[in-house]
Amino acid sequence: MFYISKRTQEILDCYQNHLPIVDTVQIGFTGTASERPPRCETDQVSADVLWFALNRDFAQTDVLISIQSITPQYAWMISAQAQPQLTPIGAVAGASDQVMPLLPLPTPFFVESNGVITMQFQNSATDPVDEGLITWIGVKLTGPINGGWRGYTASK
Amino acid sequence: MPLLNSGQIIGHYGEARWTPYAEAIASHYVNHVPFYLNVPTGLTGAADEETVVVSRPWKYDVLIFGAYVKGCIEGDDEADMVITEDSDQVITEDGDDVITEAGGGSIGGCDGQQIFLQVADRRSLLPWVTASPINAAPMSAFGGSDGRAMPLLKLPEAFFLPAGVELQHNFSVFGNLATGGSIDWVGVQLINPIGQQSPKEVEMPDGSTIPVGSRIPWFAVIGIGRETTLSGDLRFRFAAGARVLGYTQPVDCDVEIHDISCNFFLSYDNDGGNIDDIQFTLSDTGNRRVWSQNTTPAPALMGDTTKAYPALPWPKPYILKKGDQLELTMTNQGDNADIILTNGYLIIRGVKLCGL
């Protein structure tokens, strides 16, 4: 299911140990239509992590999401509208009631130790979610070789 | 034997298709970051509407791998009916009302099967969809949708969108009404090019060197059945017992054909039809050694949004040579004259080998 590209293999080769990691984050919906709860974020991890895929525990398709990473700092989403619209959750995370409960990212994303990924959600306008969980699936990278992978600051 | 330029693994399920071309481009950059581009259709529910939406240019080069679509059309506006078979009873408790909507409209489908899209980047202006017959393809041929087996549909080849270049989208509807909806392109941002310059050429598995941007998506659309107009609206109608020939537009350079998608499995099934009755034979006008002897049911040749592969891949990509066409003989083996396949399209998807 997960494809290890050359870049992903390059990252994995910089660490002695590759351990599974699962991080479930509470979104904080209160059941209000179109609400935007405060940003939530993945937990800080004491090692570098490669995140591979996402799952959500609700079926509503008109929940929206915007993702930004911290360390390294990148925005993931843009919109063609003058009034930016967040991205439908169905393009980003699998749903538990679907045949594909995990949706892989277009490329595994590397986060340095203690870095986080922040998420801004907008609730469904028609069938609001109460509470809501989003789960990140990845590989924890321990035993760095020569300091581990630092591609984001590398120069060749 | 050389590796395939299209990649040795045909039809990944679920994740980006890292073809040799995509890998070769990405290897020229230090950082890869996920990328999602939301493009609304701008449709407002008017009849025979067409909109043009241009995406914002992005500051980094991007490889686009696939898309997720959302596009609802309004269904027929009839009064609700409670349908029972002979001798059935509708049982309620004393005093209960059976409530139906009066004259309400029903949603005709939200997977983009009847909203049409043409795409071109604003640098080359090369359209992805062939001009014939409608200069567009159903949105469901570009992206998967939520609630279906495959929420994301991958392009036959990753599309390289240079920094600062916009994507132009032409959305249209024929005879249906649609409001809102969007396509979300999914890909990878390519950051910090090695040598401070985006690559101009990459090496392929067969040893050839090709320009970056020379492999672009190719969508050839064939309407299923006879083309007619009804109250000024374009229709393709395929009645039981009918047999029709269809052709792709002649290609202006070699095309690597990967898979076939269609937009009618769900609607034909809802109308009471059997999708196995819609059958095809296939041949290449430029290579008469490519032909099929017997007709083949549609699900064995093509995918649709309800399937794990919304575009069903061929076992190995096939090169359609410049100037040639694919010829399809379509037959409807159904025997119910009241069930007519309307506005069905099949979309042959591939990679045009002369983008730039």
Side-chain angles (χ1 to χ4, degrees), chain A residues 1-7 54 56 59-63 67 69 74-81 84-95 98-100 103-109 149-156, chain B residues 9 12-19 23-24 26-40 53-58 60 65 68 70 145-152 182 184 186-189 191-192 194-195:
Chain A
M1 170 172 159
F2 296 106
Y3 179 70
I4 307 296
S5 66
K6 287 182 187 172
R7 173 53 49 84
L54 284 89
R56 69 195 199 258
Q60 287 86 332
T61 61
D62 57 344
V63 169
I67 298 177
S69 58
Y74 289 113
W76 287 21
M77 276 85 175
I78 68 171
S79 171
Q81 299 187 86
Q85 170 166 305
L86 310 186
T87 300
I89 190 71
V92 180
Q98 292 176 1
V99 296
M100 190 78 167
L103 199 62
L105 292 171
T107 184
F109 186 67
W149 192 74
R150 285 296 176 262
Y152 295 104
T153 58
S155 59
K156 292 185 183 180
Chain B
I9 300 176
H12 277 165
Y13 182 83
E15 70 288 352
R17 177 175 288 167
W18 282 99
T19 58
E23 286 268 27
S27 66
H28 281 84
Y29 299 81
V30 177
N31 301 326
H32 306 163
V33 176
F35 177 78
Y36 298 85
L37 170 59
N38 172 262
V39 181
V53 182
V54 179
S55 68
R56 284 171 49 195
W58 191 232
Y60 301 122
F65 285 98
Y68 163 91
K70 200 166 184 176
S145 56
D146 212 344
R148 300 300 182 190
M150 176 52 73
L152 296 178
S182 63
D184 284 82
V186 180
V188 176
Q189 304 176 57
I191 303 171
N192 290 340
I194 296 166

Side-chain angles (χ1 to χ4, degrees), chain B residues 162-280:
Chain B
V165 176
E166 306 108 318
L167 271 182
Q168 177 170 314
H169 306 74
N170 291 55
F171 295 98
S172 52
V173 286
F174 303 106
N176 287 301
L177 304 178
T179 304
S182 63
I183 182 166
D184 284 82
W185 298 107
V186 180
V188 176
Q189 304 176 57
L190 306 171
I191 303 171
N192 290 340
I194 296 166
Q196 303 301 314
Q197 210 174 12
S198 302
K200 296 289 185 287
E201 293 179 331
V202 289
E203 186 174 337
M204 298 298 285
D206 63 1
S208 63
T209 300
I210 63 172
V212 172
S214 61
R215 290 173 67 85
I216 70 168
W218 179 82
F219 290 65
V221 177
I222 297 178
I224 298 178
R226 300 188 192 284
E227 183 176 338
T228 63
T229 53
L230 181 67
S231 303
D233 293 330
L234 177 69
R235 288 270 194 275
F236 280 91
R237 293 168 58 85
F238 199 35
R243 186 182 176 92
V244 178
L245 271 180
Y247 295 88
T248 58
Q249 183 174 312
V251 291
D252 50 4
C253 70
D254 291 357
V255 171
E256 190 182 272
I257 294 178
H258 283 234
D259 52 40
I260 306 180
S261 176
C262 71
N263 71 337
F264 63 84
F265 285 2
L266 187 61
S267 61
Y268 195 59
D269 188 58
N270 285 344
D271 288 344
N274 180 353
I275 56 176
D276 283 318
D277 288 337
I278 309 299
Q279 301 186 355
F280 300 86

Side-chain angles (χ1 to χ4, degrees), chain B residues 11 20 23 33 40-41 45 59 93 107 109-110 124 145 194 203 222 245 267 274 293 306 320 348:
Chain B
E23 286 268 27
V33 176
T41 68
K59 54 187 171 178
E93 296 182 355
I107 297 297
C110 285
S124 69
S145 56
I194 296 166
E203 186 174 337
I222 297 178
L245 271 180
S267 61
N274 180 353
Q293 180 176 9
T306 59
L320 184 67
I348 300 170

